[in-house]
Amino acid sequence: MTHEKVALAFSGGLDTTVCVPLLEEEYGYDEVIGVTVDVGQPSEEFDEAHETAEALGLEHYVVDAQEEFADLCMDAVRANATYQGYPLGTALARPVIAKAILAVAEENDCTGIAHGCTGKGNDQLRFEAVWRDSDLEVIAPVRELGLTREWEQEYAAERDLPVEGGDGGAYSIDTNLWSRSVEGSELEEPSHVPSEDIYAWTSAPGSETQELTIEFEDGYPVALDGEELDSVTLIETLNDLAGDYGVGRTDVMEDRMLGLKVRENYEHPAATTLLNAHEALESLVLTQEERQFKNYIDQEWAEKGYQGLVDAPLVRALEGFIDETQERVTGSVTIRLEGGQARPVGRESPYAVYSAEAASFNTEDVIGGIEQNDATGVAKYHGFQQRLSNKVTEAANEGRTDWGGDDAE
Ligand code: ARG
């Protein structure tokens, strides 16, 4: 007789806890193994997962994927990636988590792989996009059995499952290095103004200010105030620093992939700081046409990031363009943290497409062989079509064939 094993994405919360007996009873598996992937959640979440797994007698694996996740967040910075104002913390973490769980499942000769997502959200799609590349049976008990939170609570009580404190409180919260999201309960009412206590990473903006300098190399943030930091440490440090100034709060109506709108509150102090700094440096070193075109590239990148499809051929192609442009995104940006904002207040780079002399009002110098008076011809042409069109139209509307002709100017 074969012993069939299924790997479950496990957090120790209500959904994934009820999935354990269900995978055995409803899906016929002999053994469930739980996998929790570390993408920078707070340590309490690992304690909860650990304790619940122990109480369930579940073999429990914890995989550290912080570095891999942080690297992806840095790619997101190079792509100035936000979706409807949200810097994609949950979205970018999902493929990383899905791959780590799949690896554990394969090492343990599992024949199934499961998550506790509902059929309404984005995460089911992001997980399965990765898992359906394997031969494992993909199982989504909550979605497939049509479970509700109430049903799960009753079931857990009947079975005496270890869910104390495991229902996560009033809100549904998802935390990782890049963002913390809060949804549910009274926040589901779009008109409800959230109270301060939904925030854990950011203080209410006050009147204090602080300046810091971020250095970039090839579009990657590499140092803070002159100190080189690895990506994980840089993100953690900036979450603390900028969080104190209330930086990186967003309250949005988000369009999910299935079309449902959901009210989301996010905190992402490091993401906001790094994204603002990166964009400020790009504004100095990229040409106007590169900046304009890169907007489209960035938007596409963010869209695929939101969908959990960072391995799409399109993303590799977009990154070809991004790589090419980022070779010059080297330099530093001074950011002022103040009143909930991370405002670029200074920038420098050896690649600056900038000549103070050329732009100055106070010079008679000839730059690149061009002098002030050379603009006269350009100024004469500028707006020619609008002047001509307006005159021709006026004449035509009045039934005149003569619109003023060559001496119209
Ligand atoms: N709406 C976001 C996304 O799909 C985040 C969802 C986070 N989940 C949560 N339970 N708060 O990427």
Side-chain angles (χ1 to χ4, degrees):
M1 240 196 74
T2 54
H3 181 82
E4 302 278 335
K5 283 198 272 186
V6 56
L8 169 67
F10 188 73
S11 69
L14 179 64
D15 290 314
T16 57
T17 299
V18 303
C19 282
V20 175
L22 290 172
L23 285 166
E24 293 169 356
E25 288 160 24
E26 300 293 324
Y27 292 89
Y29 280 89
D30 302 301
E31 190 187 344
V32 182
I33 62 174
V35 189
T36 308
V37 181
D38 186 352
V39 282
Q41 305 88 314
S43 62
E44 306 89 73
E45 291 191 21
F46 296 100
D47 297 342
E48 187 190 328
H50 214 76
E51 281 160 27
T52 313
E54 204 149 79
L56 287 166
L58 191 73
E59 200 176 330
H60 185 219
Y61 293 81
V62 177
V63 184
D64 182 356
Q66 286 198 77
E67 224 172 281
E68 189 189 340
F69 178 50
D71 287 347
L72 185 55
C73 296
M74 296 300 126
D75 289 338
V77 169
R78 292 177 13 129
N80 302 312
T82 58
Y83 174 83
Q84 298 183 343
Y86 149 55
L88 302 170
T90 298
L92 296 177
R94 291 306 179 253
V96 174
I97 294 171
K99 283 179 219 170
I101 296 173
L102 182 58
V104 173
E106 283 170 346
E107 278 159 29
N108 284 276
D109 298 316
C110 290
T111 50
I113 190 162
H115 62 68
C117 307
T118 71
K120 297 202 169 180
N122 294 319
D123 287 342
Q124 51 174 342
L125 308 178
R126 298 168 180 151
F127 278 129
E128 292 180 38
V130 174
W131 292 350
R132 289 187 185 277
D133 203 20
S134 75
D135 295 329
L136 304 187
E137 184 191 15
V138 175
I139 311 167
V142 176
R143 178 182 75 204
E144 288 158 8
L145 304 172
L147 309 187
T148 62
R149 267 193 105 67
E150 259 165 53
W151 186 94
E152 291 178 1
Q153 269 149 356
E154 262 170 48
Y155 179 82
E158 264 166 40
R159 298 291 176 116
D160 212 16
L161 298 177
V163 290
E164 294 79 37
D167 65 355
Y171 303 115
S172 169
I173 296 174
D174 185 66
T175 311
N176 61 44
L177 274 176
W178 204 230
S179 69
R180 177 176 177 273
S181 102
V182 190
E183 59 184 43
S185 197
E186 76 274 2
L187 300 174
E188 283 176 0
E189 180 50 61
S191 65
H192 174 86
V193 179
S195 64
E196 254 326 284
D197 63 13
I198 68 160
Y199 302 111
W201 284 7
T202 54
S203 316
S207 55
E208 312 265 278
T209 72
Q210 179 180 338
E211 278 174 21
L212 47 86
T213 301
I214 297 164
E215 271 137 69
F216 289 84
E217 249 172 61
D218 294 344
Y220 291 112
V222 291
L224 175 64
D225 290 333
E227 192 186 347
E228 262 184 54
L229 297 174
D230 63 85
S231 300
V232 174
T233 311
L234 178 63
I235 296 168
E236 286 173 343
T237 308
L238 284 175
N239 274 334
D240 281 347
L241 267 176
D244 284 346
Y245 297 85
V247 169
R249 290 182 175 184
T250 44
D251 181 335
V252 290
M253 292 307 299
E254 179 175 312
D255 293 292
R256 284 186 183 162
M257 279 184 262
L258 294 175
L260 295 171
K261 279 189 191 290
V262 63
R263 198 272 185 90
E264 288 280 6
N265 278 273
Y266 294 106
E267 296 180 278
H268 37 78
T272 297
T273 306
L274 292 173
L275 288 164
N276 290 359
H278 178 264
E279 222 176 349
L281 191 54
E282 280 194 338
S283 73
L284 181 66
V285 302
L286 299 187
T287 60
Q288 189 243 359
E289 60 205 19
E290 284 177 304
R291 289 173 70 186
Q292 211 168 328
F293 190 73
K294 189 165 179 292
N295 271 329
Y296 296 108
I297 301 284
D298 291 348
Q299 257 172 45
E300 289 297 317
W301 197 102
E303 186 80 26
K304 299 319 280 179
Y306 187 72
Q307 295 169 346
L309 300 178
V310 287
D311 294 315
L314 175 63
V315 174
R316 288 196 289 278
L318 298 172
E319 282 180 350
F321 179 87
I322 293 174
D323 281 342
E324 182 71 31
T325 57
Q326 301 303 293
E327 278 176 22
R328 282 165 285 137
V329 186
T330 292
S332 68
V333 177
T334 304
I335 290 283
R336 183 177 297 150
L337 306 172
E338 65 182 347
Q341 293 199 63
R343 216 156 52 79
V345 291
R347 66 289 278 159
E348 66 177 72
S349 166
Y351 298 99
V353 187
Y354 180 74
S355 156
E357 284 167 295
S360 171
F361 303 111
N362 248 330
T363 175
E364 283 162 22
D365 293 354
V366 176
I367 310 289
I370 307 168
E371 49 191 306
Q372 190 171 180
N373 195 29
D374 289 332
T376 304
V378 179
K380 284 183 179 170
Y381 265 109
H382 189 63
F384 172 74
Q385 283 200 354
Q386 81 170 20
R387 293 191 294 272
L388 178 57
S389 174
N390 290 343
K391 284 194 178 102
V392 168
T393 303
E394 197 185 318
N397 287 346
E398 288 169 3
R400 285 186 282 118
T401 51
D402 169 25
W403 53 270
D406 291 339
D407 50 338
E409 282 290 316

